[in-house]
């Protein structure tokens, strides 16, 4: 039985396979002998092989045409100012996106006449046109000439958006495949919309609307027929039809008239319309940059750009809301009026300080051997002050220099107009000039005169108290000479402008504005490594026991250090950190401004004081919208429903919740502001007293002196300014905040404050206003404070149960004032009295 069930031999199995296979091929053999079957099989096999190779070479890996349904062209970011007006754009491609319905039908027909007459008939590829292009390509093969394209509008969209502009037959085949696929996915109107928004038309204009603005300074709806025809010829090669050149102008006229003729042949215009359009001149405007004023904002707009890049990225690869492709709309608190005042005042202050120091030298250098016009334009160095211009020295003789400007014009700079000394090497500036130097000049009759860019620099910021919105920012003389923003990036020692926060810590820990602090020598042992540190006042003297108020008004270093020591430096630096100024170590020198901070931080801290200790982060952007209008920043932004109703609906009015962060006791903040009002009335900033309005602030001068400051403002607007060299060095022994910085602040803010009501600083709940003797700090009965800045009796702000218990009668206060006045008249005071010292600043470490 076992033998009967054994498997058959392998040889019999192999035979059966050969027999079966032989049967299949055997049946095909007679058919293969027939010619029609053999040729049919070869052709089918060859076609299958051709399809496989075609797919491998051309169709494999092509992008999906359906992605164009969601395609969004790169759009510039637009910044609006405080009034909602567009003032600046960030763009590498000038483009305005429109819908198909926004384009005039006649404009669409002009492009169809010039580019693709049968667009609405074919399915992506114009076979006769393609055949003509193949013949043209074969005839020019090896000649180095480029064959005509023969591409339909659909193929051009596929080339521009999906596969690129490589010049090869392979790309043309891929273009045809994608065009066929696109016609299956998109409507003709959608394809035309993509084309009209994307096509490059010269002058950095992408899309027809941008080109209409670039060439005719019009919107597409306002174009005339001859203008539409000109724009329709540009896709073939904008450089060939540049209206600036004589050859390009002639070509443009000829080609424009051809396009008009094609429109008439297709029955889209009449012969009369064609003739009338042909009779028109080209009518293009001079090439110009963006419709926005590139000079607007300067440092402010550069700061907006930096912060936007930090939030959303710079390029399209960084995300859908990138700065240069996302089409963002930014609402900014930028105020053109305030910005102009701040920029002008700071520049004039820098020039005033720098006057008489000689020529600061060239602002750059280019290689004129490569064509000075192109090199000068590529340097992007410019100046926006008065009628000053940047020029390049082309050549120089003993009597004059030939100079050139970015627009290609030239002029003469006589040697007599450049005789100021060159501060770096001595001798006249004219002798130091050499070809290729970029210099700043101003018109002087028929010729030009040399001007000097200040070597000293500085920064200024103006901020709203109740919101933190920055209305203006100037970070130097001109952002096109130096993009370094000294208002936000320069870390400088604040000097005595830090003192209000030192005294705020003292007020929070038991002291009052009337507390007596000794203005006397103070030395501190800092350890074996540092030894003993002795502090001194700016004047070098001391005034004995004085009130805290007097110490702030007269900027007494010894009183500040003693108050910080008694309060505890750990508490002082904690207060400074809470105000956002900086994170410092608990060393006494930081109480005099030895730490580093920025103008923006100091202004925000002073605005917090004026806002009764409630802090808003300083901001240059209110909100950011994407290209569809959705607010994407701040993250928790929400609309105020009902705020813009035309009429009241009888329901409760919209209310905003409390914003900001309380970082200081409101009563402490008011006490500091009330004391700092005295700095303007009778202290180190009396230059501002003639503005005759409620103001507070503090001057500052650092050791050297290397920096001079003033920060302060009204109950609604605070501003701060500093002046100093980028590489810190002495400004000169006479340089003080009250002499240099405060006048700049005044020049910038006086016109702005004139437009604002004279609002007083309002005390928060709980503050007690008590009449005291200004010099002794004692409480006064029987006398009423007056508005006289140096009145013997003043109002002082106290927290509950902290006012002085000691009293002084009216007669005693008047007698003390008479004695002090008599000493001044008879000259029995010291030649440089500490009591009369008004310009003493901190920062002497």
């Amino acid at each position: 039985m076992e033998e009967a069930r054994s498997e058959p031999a392998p040889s019999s199995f192999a035979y059966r396979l050969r027999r079966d296979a032989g049967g299949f091929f055997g049946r095909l053999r007679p058919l293969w002998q027939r010619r029609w079957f053999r040729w049919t099989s070869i052709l089918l096999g060859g076609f299958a092989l051709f399809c496989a190779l075609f797919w491998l070479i051309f169709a494999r890996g092509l992008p999906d045409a359906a992605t164009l349904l969601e395609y969004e062209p790169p759009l510039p970011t637009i910044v609006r100012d405080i009034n909602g007006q567009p003032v600046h754009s960030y763009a590498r491609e000038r483009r305005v996106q429109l819908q198909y319905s926004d384009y005039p039908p006649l404009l669409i027909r002009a492009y169809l006449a010039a580019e693709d007459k049968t667009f609405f008939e074919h399915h992506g590829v114009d076979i006769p046109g393609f055949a003509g292009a193949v013949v043209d390509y074969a005839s020019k093969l090896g000649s180095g000439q480029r064959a005509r394209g023969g591409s339909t509008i659909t193929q051009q969209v596929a080339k521009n958006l999906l596969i690129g502009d490589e010049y090869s037959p392979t790309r043309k085949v891929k273009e045809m495949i994608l065009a066929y696929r696109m016609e299956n996915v998109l409507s003709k109107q959608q394809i035309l919309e993509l084309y009209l928004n994307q096509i490059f038309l010269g002058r950095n204009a992408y899309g027809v609307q941008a080109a209409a603005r670039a060439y005719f300074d019009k919107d597409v709806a306002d174009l005339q027929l001859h203008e539409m025809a000109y724009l329709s010829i540009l896709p073939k090669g904008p450089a060939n039809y540049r209206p600036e050149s004589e050859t390009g102008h002639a070509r443009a006229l000829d080609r424009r008239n051809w396009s008009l003729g094609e429109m008439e042949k297709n029955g889209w215009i009449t012969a009369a319309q064609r003739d009338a359009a042909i009779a028109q001149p080209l009518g293009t405007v001079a090439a110009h940059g963006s419709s926005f004023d590139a000079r607007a904002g300067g440092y402010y707009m550069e700061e907006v750009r930096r912060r936007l890049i930090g939030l959303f990225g710079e390029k399209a690869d960084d995300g859908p809301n990138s700065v240069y492709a996302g089409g963002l709309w930014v609402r900014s608190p930028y105020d053109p009026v305030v910005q102009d005042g701040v920029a002008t005042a700071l520049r004039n202050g820098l020039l005033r300080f720098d006057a008489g120091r000689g020529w600061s030298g060239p602002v750059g250098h280019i290689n004129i051997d490569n064509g000075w016009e192109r090199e000068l334009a590529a340097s992007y160095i410019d100046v926006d002050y008065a009628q000053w211009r940047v020029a390049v020295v082309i050549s120089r003789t003993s009597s004059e220099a030939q100079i050139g400007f970015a627009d290609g014009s030239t002029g003469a700079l006589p040697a007599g107009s450049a005789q100021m000394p060159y501060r770096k090497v001595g001798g006249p500036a004219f002798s130091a000039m050499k070809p290729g130097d970029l210099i700043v000049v101003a018109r002087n009759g028929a010729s030009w005169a040399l001007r000097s860019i200040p070597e000293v620099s500085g920064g200024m910021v103006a901020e709203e108290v109740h919101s933190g919105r920055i209305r203006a920012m100037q970070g130097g003389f001109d952002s096109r000479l130096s993009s370094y923003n000294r208002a936000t990036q320069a870390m400088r020692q604040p000097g005595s402008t830090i003192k209000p926060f030192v005294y705020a810590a003292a007020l929070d820990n038991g002291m009052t504005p009337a507390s007596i602090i000794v203005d006397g020598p103070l030395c501190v042992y800092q350890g074996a490594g540092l030894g003993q540190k002795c502090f001194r006042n700016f004047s070098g003297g001391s005034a004995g026991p004085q009130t805290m108020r007097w110490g702030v008004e007269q900027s007494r270093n010894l009183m500040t250090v003693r108050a910080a020591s008694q309060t505890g430096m750990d508490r002082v630096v904690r207060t400074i950190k809470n105000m956002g100024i900086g994170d410092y170590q608990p060393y006494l020198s930081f109480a005099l401004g030895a730490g580093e901070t920025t103008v923006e931080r100091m202004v925000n801290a002073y605005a917090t004081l004026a806002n009764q200790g409630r802090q808003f982060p300083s901001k240059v952007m209110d909100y950011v919208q994407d290209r569809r209008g959705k607010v994407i920043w701040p993250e928790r932004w929400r609309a105020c429903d009902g705020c813009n109703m035309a009429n009241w609906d009888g329901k409760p009015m919209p209310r905003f919740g409390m914003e900001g962060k309380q970082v200081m006791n409101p009563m402490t903040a008011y006490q500091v502001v009330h004391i700092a009002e005295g700095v303007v009335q009778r202290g180190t900033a009396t230059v501002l007293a003639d503005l005759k309005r409620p103001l507070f602030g503090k001057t500052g001068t650092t050791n050297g002196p290397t920096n001079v400051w003033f920060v302060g403002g009204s109950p609604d607007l605070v501003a701060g300014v500093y002046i100093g060299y980028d590489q810190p060095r002495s400004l000169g022994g006479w340089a003080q905040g009250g002499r240099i910085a405060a006048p700049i602040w005044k020049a910038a803010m006086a016109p702005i404050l004139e437009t604002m009501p004279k609002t007083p600083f309002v005390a928060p709940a709980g503050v007690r206003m008590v009449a005291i003797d200004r010099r002794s700090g004692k409480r006064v009965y029987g006398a009423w404070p007056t508005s006289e800045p140096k009145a013997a009796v003043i109002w002082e702000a106290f927290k509950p149960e902290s006012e002085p218990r000691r009293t002084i009668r009216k007669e005693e206060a008047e007698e003390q004032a008479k004695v002090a006045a008599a000493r001044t008249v008879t000259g029995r005071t010291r030649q440089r009295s500490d009591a009369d010292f008004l310009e003493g600043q901190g920062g002497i470490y």
Side-chain angles (χ1 to χ4, degrees), residues 249-267:
H249 189 275
R251 288 176 180 169
L253 276 176
D254 183 63
R255 189 68 178 176
R256 182 202 69 175
N257 296 341
W258 168 86
S259 178
L260 289 166
E262 293 298 307
M263 292 181 72
E264 195 237 334
K265 286 180 184 177
N266 285 276

PDB file of all heavy atoms in Angstrom, residues 249-267:
ATOM      1  N   HIS A 249      11.192 101.776 -26.794  1.00  0.00           N
ATOM      2  CA  HIS A 249       9.980 102.561 -27.027  1.00  0.00           C
ATOM      3  C   HIS A 249       9.428 102.273 -28.424  1.00  0.00           C
ATOM      4  O   HIS A 249       8.210 102.092 -28.611  1.00  0.00           O
ATOM      5  CB  HIS A 249      10.285 104.045 -26.860  1.00  0.00           C
ATOM      6  CG  HIS A 249       9.074 104.922 -26.872  1.00  0.00           C
ATOM      7  ND1 HIS A 249       8.518 105.390 -28.041  1.00  0.00           N
ATOM      8  CD2 HIS A 249       8.304 105.412 -25.863  1.00  0.00           C
ATOM      9  CE1 HIS A 249       7.462 106.132 -27.768  1.00  0.00           C
ATOM     10  NE2 HIS A 249       7.307 106.160 -26.440  1.00  0.00           N
ATOM     11  N   ALA A 250      10.322 102.221 -29.417  1.00  0.00           N
ATOM     12  CA  ALA A 250       9.883 101.940 -30.785  1.00  0.00           C
ATOM     13  C   ALA A 250       9.307 100.529 -30.900  1.00  0.00           C
ATOM     14  O   ALA A 250       8.271 100.316 -31.543  1.00  0.00           O
ATOM     15  CB  ALA A 250      11.061 102.118 -31.740  1.00  0.00           C
ATOM     16  N   ARG A 251       9.984  99.564 -30.278  1.00  0.00           N
ATOM     17  CA  ARG A 251       9.462  98.197 -30.290  1.00  0.00           C
ATOM     18  C   ARG A 251       8.105  98.111 -29.619  1.00  0.00           C
ATOM     19  O   ARG A 251       7.197  97.409 -30.080  1.00  0.00           O
ATOM     20  CB  ARG A 251      10.439  97.264 -29.569  1.00  0.00           C
ATOM     21  CG  ARG A 251      11.724  96.965 -30.313  1.00  0.00           C
ATOM     22  CD  ARG A 251      12.611  96.109 -29.432  1.00  0.00           C
ATOM     23  NE  ARG A 251      13.871  95.781 -30.066  1.00  0.00           N
ATOM     24  CZ  ARG A 251      14.897  95.221 -29.424  1.00  0.00           C
ATOM     25  NH1 ARG A 251      14.769  94.943 -28.129  1.00  0.00           N
ATOM     26  NH2 ARG A 251      16.010  94.942 -30.063  1.00  0.00           N
ATOM     27  N   ALA A 252       7.962  98.830 -28.497  1.00  0.00           N
ATOM     28  CA  ALA A 252       6.712  98.781 -27.744  1.00  0.00           C
ATOM     29  C   ALA A 252       5.558  99.336 -28.572  1.00  0.00           C
ATOM     30  O   ALA A 252       4.458  98.762 -28.588  1.00  0.00           O
ATOM     31  CB  ALA A 252       6.860  99.557 -26.441  1.00  0.00           C
ATOM     32  N   LEU A 253       5.792 100.443 -29.272  1.00  0.00           N
ATOM     33  CA  LEU A 253       4.736 101.008 -30.111  1.00  0.00           C
ATOM     34  C   LEU A 253       4.335 100.041 -31.213  1.00  0.00           C
ATOM     35  O   LEU A 253       3.142  99.834 -31.493  1.00  0.00           O
ATOM     36  CB  LEU A 253       5.208 102.333 -30.718  1.00  0.00           C
ATOM     37  CG  LEU A 253       5.062 103.597 -29.858  1.00  0.00           C
ATOM     38  CD1 LEU A 253       5.674 104.789 -30.565  1.00  0.00           C
ATOM     39  CD2 LEU A 253       3.595 103.868 -29.531  1.00  0.00           C
ATOM     40  N   ASP A 254       5.322  99.459 -31.874  1.00  0.00           N
ATOM     41  CA  ASP A 254       5.044  98.536 -32.971  1.00  0.00           C
ATOM     42  C   ASP A 254       4.270  97.312 -32.487  1.00  0.00           C
ATOM     43  O   ASP A 254       3.281  96.899 -33.096  1.00  0.00           O
ATOM     44  CB  ASP A 254       6.368  98.114 -33.622  1.00  0.00           C
ATOM     45  CG  ASP A 254       6.146  97.202 -34.811  1.00  0.00           C
ATOM     46  OD1 ASP A 254       5.522  97.649 -35.791  1.00  0.00           O
ATOM     47  OD2 ASP A 254       6.592  96.032 -34.755  1.00  0.00           O
ATOM     48  N   ARG A 255       4.732  96.737 -31.374  1.00  0.00           N
ATOM     49  CA  ARG A 255       4.075  95.535 -30.856  1.00  0.00           C
ATOM     50  C   ARG A 255       2.692  95.856 -30.286  1.00  0.00           C
ATOM     51  O   ARG A 255       1.769  95.060 -30.398  1.00  0.00           O
ATOM     52  CB  ARG A 255       4.960  94.909 -29.776  1.00  0.00           C
ATOM     53  CG  ARG A 255       4.500  93.543 -29.291  1.00  0.00           C
ATOM     54  CD  ARG A 255       4.658  92.498 -30.366  1.00  0.00           C
ATOM     55  NE  ARG A 255       4.267  91.181 -29.866  1.00  0.00           N
ATOM     56  CZ  ARG A 255       4.238  90.079 -30.614  1.00  0.00           C
ATOM     57  NH1 ARG A 255       4.571  90.151 -31.904  1.00  0.00           N
ATOM     58  NH2 ARG A 255       3.882  88.916 -30.110  1.00  0.00           N
ATOM     59  N   ARG A 256       2.556  97.029 -29.653  1.00  0.00           N
ATOM     60  CA  ARG A 256       1.239  97.426 -29.140  1.00  0.00           C
ATOM     61  C   ARG A 256       0.235  97.550 -30.263  1.00  0.00           C
ATOM     62  O   ARG A 256      -0.917  97.085 -30.172  1.00  0.00           O
ATOM     63  CB  ARG A 256       1.351  98.754 -28.406  1.00  0.00           C
ATOM     64  CG  ARG A 256       0.050  99.243 -27.799  1.00  0.00           C
ATOM     65  CD  ARG A 256       0.056 100.747 -27.569  1.00  0.00           C
ATOM     66  NE  ARG A 256       0.028 101.504 -28.826  1.00  0.00           N
ATOM     67  CZ  ARG A 256      -0.062 102.828 -28.896  1.00  0.00           C
ATOM     68  NH1 ARG A 256      -0.112 103.550 -27.788  1.00  0.00           N
ATOM     69  NH2 ARG A 256      -0.079 103.444 -30.074  1.00  0.00           N
ATOM     70  N   ASN A 257       0.653  98.162 -31.364  1.00  0.00           N
ATOM     71  CA  ASN A 257      -0.241  98.327 -32.503  1.00  0.00           C
ATOM     72  C   ASN A 257      -0.596  96.981 -33.121  1.00  0.00           C
ATOM     73  O   ASN A 257      -1.720  96.785 -33.610  1.00  0.00           O
ATOM     74  CB  ASN A 257       0.398  99.252 -33.546  1.00  0.00           C
ATOM     75  CG  ASN A 257       0.593 100.660 -33.003  1.00  0.00           C
ATOM     76  OD1 ASN A 257      -0.029 101.054 -32.015  1.00  0.00           O
ATOM     77  ND2 ASN A 257       1.460 101.437 -33.655  1.00  0.00           N
ATOM     78  N   TRP A 258       0.358  96.053 -33.094  1.00  0.00           N
ATOM     79  CA  TRP A 258       0.051  94.694 -33.569  1.00  0.00           C
ATOM     80  C   TRP A 258      -1.031  94.055 -32.713  1.00  0.00           C
ATOM     81  O   TRP A 258      -1.961  93.425 -33.225  1.00  0.00           O
ATOM     82  CB  TRP A 258       1.323  93.847 -33.530  1.00  0.00           C
ATOM     83  CG  TRP A 258       1.055  92.381 -33.726  1.00  0.00           C
ATOM     84  CD1 TRP A 258       0.941  91.718 -34.908  1.00  0.00           C
ATOM     85  CD2 TRP A 258       0.857  91.404 -32.687  1.00  0.00           C
ATOM     86  NE1 TRP A 258       0.672  90.396 -34.682  1.00  0.00           N
ATOM     87  CE2 TRP A 258       0.612  90.168 -33.327  1.00  0.00           C
ATOM     88  CE3 TRP A 258       0.862  91.455 -31.305  1.00  0.00           C
ATOM     89  CZ2 TRP A 258       0.383  88.993 -32.621  1.00  0.00           C
ATOM     90  CZ3 TRP A 258       0.628  90.293 -30.604  1.00  0.00           C
ATOM     91  CH2 TRP A 258       0.393  89.087 -31.237  1.00  0.00           C
ATOM     92  N   SER A 259      -0.910  94.216 -31.383  1.00  0.00           N
ATOM     93  CA  SER A 259      -1.919  93.643 -30.484  1.00  0.00           C
ATOM     94  C   SER A 259      -3.294  94.250 -30.746  1.00  0.00           C
ATOM     95  O   SER A 259      -4.309  93.550 -30.747  1.00  0.00           O
ATOM     96  CB  SER A 259      -1.514  93.880 -29.030  1.00  0.00           C
ATOM     97  OG  SER A 259      -2.490  93.377 -28.146  1.00  0.00           O
ATOM     98  N   LEU A 260      -3.346  95.541 -31.023  1.00  0.00           N
ATOM     99  CA  LEU A 260      -4.621  96.185 -31.340  1.00  0.00           C
ATOM    100  C   LEU A 260      -5.201  95.621 -32.632  1.00  0.00           C
ATOM    101  O   LEU A 260      -6.420  95.411 -32.748  1.00  0.00           O
ATOM    102  CB  LEU A 260      -4.425  97.696 -31.464  1.00  0.00           C
ATOM    103  CG  LEU A 260      -4.144  98.441 -30.145  1.00  0.00           C
ATOM    104  CD1 LEU A 260      -3.638  99.861 -30.419  1.00  0.00           C
ATOM    105  CD2 LEU A 260      -5.393  98.478 -29.273  1.00  0.00           C
ATOM    106  N   GLY A 261      -4.317  95.358 -33.600  1.00  0.00           N
ATOM    107  CA  GLY A 261      -4.786  94.761 -34.846  1.00  0.00           C
ATOM    108  C   GLY A 261      -5.350  93.372 -34.630  1.00  0.00           C
ATOM    109  O   GLY A 261      -6.364  92.987 -35.245  1.00  0.00           O
ATOM    110  N   GLU A 262      -4.709  92.583 -33.768  1.00  0.00           N
ATOM    111  CA  GLU A 262      -5.214  91.240 -33.474  1.00  0.00           C
ATOM    112  C   GLU A 262      -6.576  91.302 -32.786  1.00  0.00           C
ATOM    113  O   GLU A 262      -7.452  90.461 -33.036  1.00  0.00           O
ATOM    114  CB  GLU A 262      -4.215  90.497 -32.589  1.00  0.00           C
ATOM    115  CG  GLU A 262      -2.902  90.168 -33.260  1.00  0.00           C
ATOM    116  CD  GLU A 262      -3.084  89.236 -34.452  1.00  0.00           C
ATOM    117  OE1 GLU A 262      -3.715  88.172 -34.278  1.00  0.00           O
ATOM    118  OE2 GLU A 262      -2.619  89.586 -35.558  1.00  0.00           O
ATOM    119  N   MET A 263      -6.760  92.268 -31.941  1.00  0.00           N
ATOM    120  CA  MET A 263      -8.057  92.419 -31.285  1.00  0.00           C
ATOM    121  C   MET A 263      -9.142  92.743 -32.310  1.00  0.00           C
ATOM    122  O   MET A 263     -10.271  92.245 -32.237  1.00  0.00           O
ATOM    123  CB  MET A 263      -7.987  93.532 -30.234  1.00  0.00           C
ATOM    124  CG  MET A 263      -7.113  93.211 -29.033  1.00  0.00           C
ATOM    125  SD  MET A 263      -7.096  94.549 -27.801  1.00  0.00           S
ATOM    126  CE  MET A 263      -8.747  94.392 -27.119  1.00  0.00           C
ATOM    127  N   GLU A 264      -8.783  93.561 -33.305  1.00  0.00           N
ATOM    128  CA  GLU A 264      -9.773  93.898 -34.334  1.00  0.00           C
ATOM    129  C   GLU A 264     -10.083  92.702 -35.222  1.00  0.00           C
ATOM    130  O   GLU A 264     -11.236  92.457 -35.589  1.00  0.00           O
ATOM    131  CB  GLU A 264      -9.238  95.060 -35.166  1.00  0.00           C
ATOM    132  CG  GLU A 264     -10.301  95.737 -36.007  1.00  0.00           C
ATOM    133  CD  GLU A 264      -9.935  95.733 -37.480  1.00  0.00           C
ATOM    134  OE1 GLU A 264      -8.739  95.683 -37.796  1.00  0.00           O
ATOM    135  OE2 GLU A 264     -10.866  95.773 -38.302  1.00  0.00           O
ATOM    136  N   LYS A 265      -9.058  91.903 -35.556  1.00  0.00           N
ATOM    137  CA  LYS A 265      -9.270  90.713 -36.366  1.00  0.00           C
ATOM    138  C   LYS A 265     -10.226  89.736 -35.697  1.00  0.00           C
ATOM    139  O   LYS A 265     -11.003  89.049 -36.354  1.00  0.00           O
ATOM    140  CB  LYS A 265      -7.935  90.014 -36.628  1.00  0.00           C
ATOM    141  CG  LYS A 265      -7.044  90.715 -37.623  1.00  0.00           C
ATOM    142  CD  LYS A 265      -5.752  89.921 -37.805  1.00  0.00           C
ATOM    143  CE  LYS A 265      -4.796  90.658 -38.725  1.00  0.00           C
ATOM    144  NZ  LYS A 265      -3.498  89.913 -38.863  1.00  0.00           N
ATOM    145  N   ASN A 266     -10.149  89.655 -34.359  1.00  0.00           N
ATOM    146  CA  ASN A 266     -11.007  88.728 -33.624  1.00  0.00           C
ATOM    147  C   ASN A 266     -12.391  89.313 -33.348  1.00  0.00           C
ATOM    148  O   ASN A 266     -13.214  88.659 -32.709  1.00  0.00           O
ATOM    149  CB  ASN A 266     -10.340  88.340 -32.305  1.00  0.00           C
ATOM    150  CG  ASN A 266      -9.208  87.354 -32.499  1.00  0.00           C
ATOM    151  OD1 ASN A 266      -9.422  86.152 -32.588  1.00  0.00           O
ATOM    152  ND2 ASN A 266      -7.993  87.862 -32.593  1.00  0.00           N
ATOM    153  N   GLY A 267     -12.625  90.544 -33.797  1.00  0.00           N
ATOM    154  CA  GLY A 267     -13.932  91.143 -33.624  1.00  0.00           C
ATOM    155  C   GLY A 267     -14.193  91.680 -32.233  1.00  0.00           C
ATOM    156  O   GLY A 267     -15.350  91.919 -31.862  1.00  0.00           O
TER     157      GLY A 267
END
